[in-house]
Amino acid sequence: MKFATYTGPDNRERVGALSDDDAKIIPLEDAGLPAWDMRGLIEAWSDAVRHALLPLLAGGKGVPLNSVKLDAPIPHPRHDILCIGQNYLEHALESARYKGVEYKKPEYPMYFSKRVDRAVGPGGVIPAHDDITDKLDYEAELAVVIGKRCDHLRPEDAYSHIFGYTIVNDVSARDIQLNHVQFMFGKGLDGFTPMGPWIVTADEFATPPDLLVSCFVNGEKRQAANTSEFIFDIPFMLSQLSAGMALEPGDILITGTPSGVGMGFQPPRFLHKGDVVECRIEGIGSLVNTVG
């Protein structure tokens, strides 16, 4: 099942389920459910909620998808987005080359957080921030959306605590990132978290998910790798993080990006105003944004 946050002609932000053909969106109220925001839906998710929606998905009801504006599925995350750096080997190698250092396989994951004011939705603009950076980069990533509170979670229980998956572009200012010798500032600028187009519930995927993650810039393929290539897998990350910080429903973990980012080319190929960035993940869809 797919759930999106959208703004209709009345300028009201709502949450709805996508029809089976992805052509329409069904407001939660049409199924007799409260008008939850996405976090409210995740907290209330149950078999009863699912069964209330199922009969409407193939019945031709709902609002045409092309008549609404899709927003980020979780426009205002409750907490900073949790991130892991260099979770694909080839990306770790290209990152080391860019920094001029020797790569050493890590014993521990490189965690950091991504500050988000409001996440950018599908079709939204990625601000260039060209007054403070000229090394704007893209990173297509699978995003894990937490469904149940995780506190000292065992790895074998991890997938039962996931609500679903979406796409996040971990936009990065590489010069700021390197100048400050940490990731928060260079990855946390306003507009640096495109997300969407919707959340697909975890039951739609294998366990673990085996998905192709790719990114295109102006139609040219730049990134492509499979989530089976993670250095640290999802159960490991959720278990380790929740051992010291409780994860709440609606929290988001992005799982690393494949090689092929702009800084990985010789010479580097950073983003500029007018560039169109498309992040794709099979089973989820496509997230397209323009640099402005």
Side-chain angles (χ1 to χ4, degrees):
M1 201 172 286
K2 298 174 183 174
F3 290 100
T5 298
Y6 68 99
T7 300
D10 60 358
N11 289 321
R12 179 184 167 193
E13 196 170 79
R14 291 182 172 88
V15 169
L18 272 291
S19 60
D20 289 339
D21 60 3
D22 293 345
K24 293 185 177 180
I25 191 161
I26 299 109
L28 298 179
E29 302 95 308
D30 285 9
L33 299 170
W36 292 305
D37 63 7
M38 190 66 78
R39 195 166 67 205
L41 170 66
I42 293 169
E43 291 173 342
W45 185 242
S46 65
D47 286 342
V49 173
R50 181 195 303 276
H51 292 321
L53 286 161
L54 276 176
L56 304 181
L57 301 186
K61 294 186 178 181
V63 181
L65 191 61
N66 60 13
S67 71
V68 304
K69 179 178 79 70
L70 287 178
D71 301 314
I74 303 178
H76 295 282
R78 175 185 295 174
H79 300 127
D80 285 0
I81 290 178
L82 296 168
C83 313
I84 180 171
Q86 301 177 19
N87 202 26
Y88 292 82
L89 176 60
E90 291 302 318
H91 173 58
L93 291 170
E94 71 180 356
S95 179
R97 286 194 298 270
Y98 180 74
K99 297 172 185 175
V101 299
E102 181 182 354
Y103 172 73
K104 294 182 180 179
K105 186 175 181 179
E107 183 178 355
Y108 300 101
M110 181 193 299
Y111 295 126
F112 58 95
S113 65
K114 189 174 179 75
R115 181 185 182 276
V116 184
D117 176 20
R118 181 180 173 90
V120 177
V125 173
I126 299 169
H129 288 289
D130 54 3
D131 55 335
I132 57 173
T133 181
D134 60 4
K135 293 179 172 58
L136 188 68
D137 213 342
Y138 51 87
E139 294 190 4
E141 305 204 17
L142 175 69
V144 177
V145 181
I146 302 300
K148 300 176 184 177
R149 179 180 169 87
C150 303
D151 188 354
H152 291 83
L153 185 67
R154 299 183 305 170
E156 58 266 33
D157 296 330
Y159 288 110
S160 67
H161 285 66
I162 295 172
F163 175 73
Y165 302 93
T166 188
I167 305 169
V168 164
N169 184 353
D170 181 18
V171 180
S172 307
R174 299 299 185 191
D175 41 4
I176 296 175
Q177 181 181 337
L178 294 182
N179 289 346
H180 292 270
V181 202
Q182 47 74 37
F183 292 0
M184 186 277 291
F185 189 24
K187 288 175 173 281
L189 301 185
D190 292 344
F192 270 22
T193 311
M195 182 193 305
W198 36 63
I199 297 172
V200 184
T201 53
D203 60 317
E204 299 287 334
F205 300 93
T207 304
D210 185 14
L211 305 173
L212 177 64
V213 178
S214 56
C215 184
F216 299 76
V217 177
N218 301 325
E220 175 192 9
K221 183 185 285 188
R222 297 280 185 90
Q223 294 183 279
N226 196 284
T227 56
S228 63
E229 300 173 44
F230 287 159
I231 296 173
F232 299 100
D233 65 18
I234 292 169
F236 177 89
M237 290 187 281
L238 293 185
S239 176
Q240 188 171 69
L241 288 166
S242 70
M245 60 175 75
L247 308 183
E248 303 287 349
D251 281 352
I252 300 165
L253 167 69
I254 57 176
T255 52
T257 199
S259 62
V261 297
M263 71 175 180
F265 289 89
Q266 299 292 339
R269 303 176 68 182
F270 294 116
L271 298 172
H272 302 92
K273 285 185 176 180
D275 285 345
V276 178
V277 184
E278 180 184 4
C279 300
R280 297 180 191 169
I281 299 182
E282 61 179 326
I284 299 176
S286 174
L287 172 65
V288 181
N289 300 94
T290 302
V291 180

